[in-house]
Amino acid sequence: MNYEITAFSSFGICRADSSKTTFTAAEDTNQCFFEMNVTFDHWEDEFYLLMPACAYNGNRYEKVKRSYPPMYKPEETDRQLITDVPALAPDGSGIIEVTAGDMSVPCVCVLNPKEKQAFMLFTKQEIKGENLGFRVEKGRITVSYPANRTTAYRFCREHETNCDSGIAVKKGETFTLEHKIVSFPCENINALFTCFFKNRKCLLSGPRPENLYTDALWDMQEDKFNSYNYSGEYYAEITKIWQCGWCGGAISSLPLFMRGNALSKERAINTLDYLFAHQANSGFFYGYIKNGVTEDDSFHTPGMEHLHMIRKSADVLYHLFRHFRVMNPKPHWVTGTKKCADAFVTLFQRFGTFGQFINIETGELVVKSSTAGAMAIGGLALAWEFFGEPVYLETAKRACDFYYHRDIENGVTTGGPGEILGAPDSESAFAMLESCVTLFEVTKEEKWLRYAESCAHLAASWVVTYPYLFPKNSEFYRLGINTVGSVFANVQNKHSAPGICTLSGDSLYKLWRYTGNHEYLELIKDIAFFIPQCVSTKKRPIYSWDDTPKLLPEGFICERVNMSDWEGKQNIGGVFCCSCWCETSLLLTFTELMCYDEMKR
């Protein structure tokens, strides 16, 4: 790709080349900015734009303004929508303005599919404690030192203007900031992600956190689940609201049964009994039950009654077979599991997709365009292994081909969480990876292994590569949190998090074993080792960002790893007082990964 590099500042002399930008201040000032620009000779509408964990194909979807939690309206179910996140318009026009903290690694990648050429620009995170800024528009990438946004994204509320400040410099003071450009022939989007995967630590990286998985940590977490998360009938989040799949319902029961004490095993069995007592006639499982009252997943949106987030039943189907490997399933569990598998087969046969939301009572597809149901592929592959009926494997293969060609080959998976509309997300990418590895395991067909590697490269783009420098007044600075291995959730909820929602990521370990590519082992170790840092303990308590800070009780993990200022600059490196799905990911990591010697080093 042909491009020109220039530099500019109103505050001194600024020069840039392919490896660095140099600035020398002409005067004393407290509001200094300088920038480097990459301008391309031409920029076609079909160019693919990647800003890892921030923009996939430039987030070129129709945007709508919604309060949180956002939900489709009845007249919108045939369209793919996102909230008012940093994004280009569907026609490629517009501007994306973010900071280094909005990305898993500060980087902008561009692919010209016609000429089969790609460009990558990697930078550092900050200068004098202030994040760098990125402005991307048609034909130009601008890196500002520090960030100098005209408009800053604020979560489901009015965006903020003129919120960035320059740095203080003295006359004659000089800064030299590294960046790295990788420009290369590139066949397609999958090849772009493969190259990114190999280069993502080329400029900004660091040692991963130490291994903090101990028997004492397990005992503390198990006790926490039995003290806070058991409703009397089932394991859930501490709210005691039943949500199967997604955030841990009928998933946390698996590691608690595998490694837990007699009480945990009994309660894990009770959890599955509760699950099967709340299965709809359609075959899918009711996904939201509060105080014994069944509700839908529509957030009370008029005209969207009986809505079911398909990811919930997909997660359950997959994890039920994992339960059955370590416990003797009751006959009605087996019957109910087959009913769920049959429902997914019918759904795909009728509509050619699992969609994002369905009618829980009828099984009718409501919202179509999403990768949210990707885990059902792995669930159906295991259904074939368990029941031996060919239709399950046939459907799994057809669905995997569909999602791979529509989503993975186009460099974006969407809609995994239930409250982001159709935005790009990491959870559906990891679900695709899990499903592809499962298909390979049950069939031994190399095709699914090739698919799995492409999924892994896409999923890796959501994982932080370096220790983020937090503000000195933040809780995470006090704690010395090392962000290597934290996982961004999606482009709307712009926080990184402890773990994959809601998996251990053992598919990456298996991918290493099957391919011999050591980078997959390194990636899953990064992800796994990050999580324990975020557990509040008596020896290392974590406090909330409230005006009067609240102590997170022992064993609590908040999902917030705020590198972005999406919730305000004051909340970078802070948490609120809560307990969440990350604790289920921690339990799964104990039982599915830390049993391997390679994971302990």
Side-chain angles (χ1 to χ4, degrees):
M1 297 176 69
N2 295 322
Y3 56 87
E4 180 185 11
I5 299 174
T6 58
F8 171 77
S9 177
S10 299
F11 302 93
I13 299 171
C14 195
R15 296 186 177 90
D17 58 31
S18 60
S19 62
K20 63 184 181 300
T21 298
T22 304
F23 168 78
T24 302
E27 58 184 338
D28 293 358
T29 178
N30 291 322
Q31 286 294 324
C32 180
F33 296 96
F34 58 102
E35 65 184 39
M36 184 267 281
N37 299 286
V38 180
T39 305
F40 296 89
D41 284 356
H42 69 279
W43 185 291
E44 303 291 344
D45 289 345
E46 59 270 19
F47 275 25
Y48 178 89
L49 171 65
L50 166 67
M51 303 172 73
C54 178
Y56 292 78
N57 196 25
N59 298 338
R60 292 166 54 168
Y61 301 102
E62 180 183 351
K63 293 202 294 187
V64 294
K65 287 191 175 183
R66 291 283 192 278
S67 58
Y68 187 83
M71 178 47 61
Y72 290 91
K73 298 177 182 178
E75 65 272 17
E76 298 170 338
T77 57
D78 60 343
R79 291 143 48 201
Q80 185 163 0
L81 305 176
I82 60 174
T83 51
D84 195 20
V85 304
L88 300 179
D91 64 2
S93 63
I95 298 171
I96 294 176
E97 290 183 296
V98 294
T99 80
D102 289 289
M103 291 180 274
S104 59
V105 54
C107 174
V108 180
C109 307
V110 179
L111 172 66
N112 180 340
K114 283 185 178 179
E115 296 183 2
K116 299 186 183 303
Q117 293 288 320
F119 171 93
M120 296 180 177
L121 170 65
F122 295 87
T123 76
K124 298 290 189 175
Q125 175 210 332
E126 51 78 36
I127 174 173
K128 298 186 76 170
E130 295 290 335
N131 279 346
L132 309 186
F134 293 78
R135 176 187 175 99
V136 181
E137 55 195 312
K138 210 168 190 177
R140 176 173 291 193
I141 300 167
T142 298
V143 182
S144 174
Y145 304 89
N148 190 19
R149 296 163 293 179
T150 57
T151 303
Y153 172 72
R154 294 294 179 257
F155 179 52
C156 288
R157 56 189 172 91
E158 288 300 316
H159 300 338
E160 193 172 343
T161 58
N162 302 317
C163 64
D164 292 325
S165 300
I167 55 172
V169 297
K170 298 292 186 181
K171 181 179 179 179
E173 190 172 2
T174 297
F175 298 91
T176 300
L177 296 170
E178 291 180 80
H179 45 258
K180 182 173 180 178
I181 290 176
V182 182
S183 185
F184 57 100
C186 186
E187 187 66 24
N188 52 37
I189 292 173
N190 278 355
L192 180 77
F193 277 92
T194 299
C195 184
F196 172 79
F197 180 67
K198 294 180 181 299
N199 284 278
R200 64 194 187 93
K201 292 187 175 184
C202 68
L203 191 62
L204 201 53
S205 64
R208 69 173 63 93
E210 62 180 308
N211 180 1
L212 299 176
Y213 287 87
T214 63
D215 289 342
L217 178 61
W218 170 270
D219 292 342
M220 181 186 69
Q221 207 63 37
E222 182 182 14
D223 180 68
K224 183 265 177 188
F225 265 78
N226 282 317
S227 299
Y228 288 95
N229 292 64
Y230 190 69
S231 73
E233 296 178 275
Y234 52 82
Y235 283 120
E237 294 187 270
I238 62 169
T239 61
K240 307 301 191 297
I241 295 172
W242 173 253
Q243 290 198 81
C244 62
W246 192 21
C247 293
I251 300 178
S252 59
S253 49
L254 174 59
L256 287 166
F257 183 90
M258 291 176 66
R259 183 169 171 161
N261 56 33
L263 177 63
S264 299
K265 292 181 189 297
E266 177 186 345
R267 290 177 168 182
I269 293 171
N270 293 345
T271 299
L272 293 195
D273 279 336
Y274 189 85
L275 170 76
F276 286 102
H278 296 84
Q279 187 171 16
N281 290 332
S282 63
F284 300 106
F285 293 97
Y286 288 107
Y288 195 96
I289 302 173
K290 183 178 181 180
N291 298 325
V293 178
T294 300
E295 299 184 15
D296 59 34
D297 290 320
S298 71
F299 307 124
H300 307 289
T301 303
M304 300 295 277
E305 293 80 11
H306 307 301
L307 211 61
H308 176 62
M309 176 187 172
I310 197 64
R311 186 249 178 101
K312 291 184 176 181
S313 284
D315 283 0
V316 166
L317 180 65
Y318 177 75
H319 282 93
L320 279 172
F321 292 110
R322 287 198 153 190
H323 279 82
F324 295 172
R325 289 173 177 174
V326 296
M327 60 171 63
N328 293 320
K330 297 180 180 181
H332 75 280
W333 295 358
V334 175
T335 301
T337 301
K338 190 175 188 304
K339 185 178 179 181
C340 181
D342 290 341
F344 273 106
V345 169
T346 299
L347 181 65
F348 194 83
Q349 287 177 341
R350 289 184 64 193
F351 302 104
T353 179
F354 299 127
Q356 185 174 8
F357 292 95
I358 64 163
N359 183 307
I360 185 67
E361 304 299 343
T362 67
E364 290 287 327
L365 186 65
V366 180
V367 179
K368 180 178 181 180
S369 295
S370 172
T371 326
M375 192 62 79
I377 298 167
L380 289 172
L382 295 180
W384 171 73
E385 187 178 62
F386 190 88
F387 293 112
E389 295 187 14
V391 68
Y392 297 137
L393 184 59
E394 292 166 4
T395 305
K397 288 181 174 182
R398 288 176 55 209
C400 195
D401 273 327
F402 169 75
Y403 285 116
Y404 181 81
H405 293 307
R406 190 196 66 177
D407 298 342
I408 301 299
E409 286 190 329
N410 286 299
V412 60
T413 61
T414 62
E419 29 69 82
I420 65 167
L421 298 181
D425 78 291
S426 66
E427 298 168 29
S428 55
F430 278 104
M432 275 296 294
L433 169 61
E434 193 92 5
S435 286
C436 290
V437 169
T438 302
L439 263 178
F440 172 74
E441 288 182 319
V442 302
T443 67
K444 301 301 186 256
E445 296 173 6
E446 291 293 324
K447 169 183 176 178
W448 309 118
L449 200 58
R450 175 170 55 84
Y451 280 18
E453 291 202 81
S454 294
C455 295
H457 300 160
L458 174 56
S461 69
W462 295 90
V463 182
V464 178
T465 65
Y466 68 100
Y468 182 90
L469 180 63
F470 287 105
K472 291 185 178 180
N473 62 349
S474 69
E475 183 70 354
F476 277 16
Y477 183 89
R478 180 186 73 82
L479 294 166
I481 295 291
N482 176 358
T483 53
V484 172
S486 61
V487 184
F488 271 79
N490 54 77
V491 304
Q492 174 189 282
N493 306 340
K494 296 179 70 65
H495 63 85
S496 196
I500 303 163
C501 184
T502 312
L503 298 165
S504 67
D506 66 333
S507 53
L508 283 167
Y509 177 86
K510 294 174 180 178
L511 198 56
W512 164 65
R513 294 295 296 268
Y514 297 142
T515 66
N517 186 340
H518 202 262
E519 291 176 289
Y520 300 131
L521 177 62
E522 293 302 309
L523 176 58
I524 190 52
K525 288 173 75 172
D526 285 354
I527 294 170
F529 285 17
F530 175 79
I531 307 173
Q533 294 181 103
C534 298
V535 182
S536 185
T537 67
K538 289 180 180 177
K539 291 184 178 179
R540 190 169 174 272
I542 298 176
Y543 292 89
S544 74
W545 58 38
D546 299 281
D547 291 338
T548 302
K550 299 176 183 176
L551 170 66
L552 274 68
E554 190 173 39
F556 277 40
I557 305 177
C558 177
E559 68 176 356
R560 293 296 197 268
V561 181
N562 270 352
M563 298 159 55
S564 166
D565 61 0
W566 70 302
E567 292 182 298
K569 289 187 177 182
Q570 73 280 5
N571 289 332
I572 296 176
V575 300
F576 53 89
C577 187
C578 77
S579 161
C580 72
W581 60 265
C582 304
E583 296 153 16
T584 295
S585 296
L586 178 67
L587 295 180
L588 288 168
T589 302
F590 260 110
T591 57
E592 296 178 350
L593 282 168
M594 301 314 296
C595 53
Y596 299 114
D597 289 340
E598 297 92 346
M599 288 296 301
K600 298 175 183 178
R601 298 193 286 269

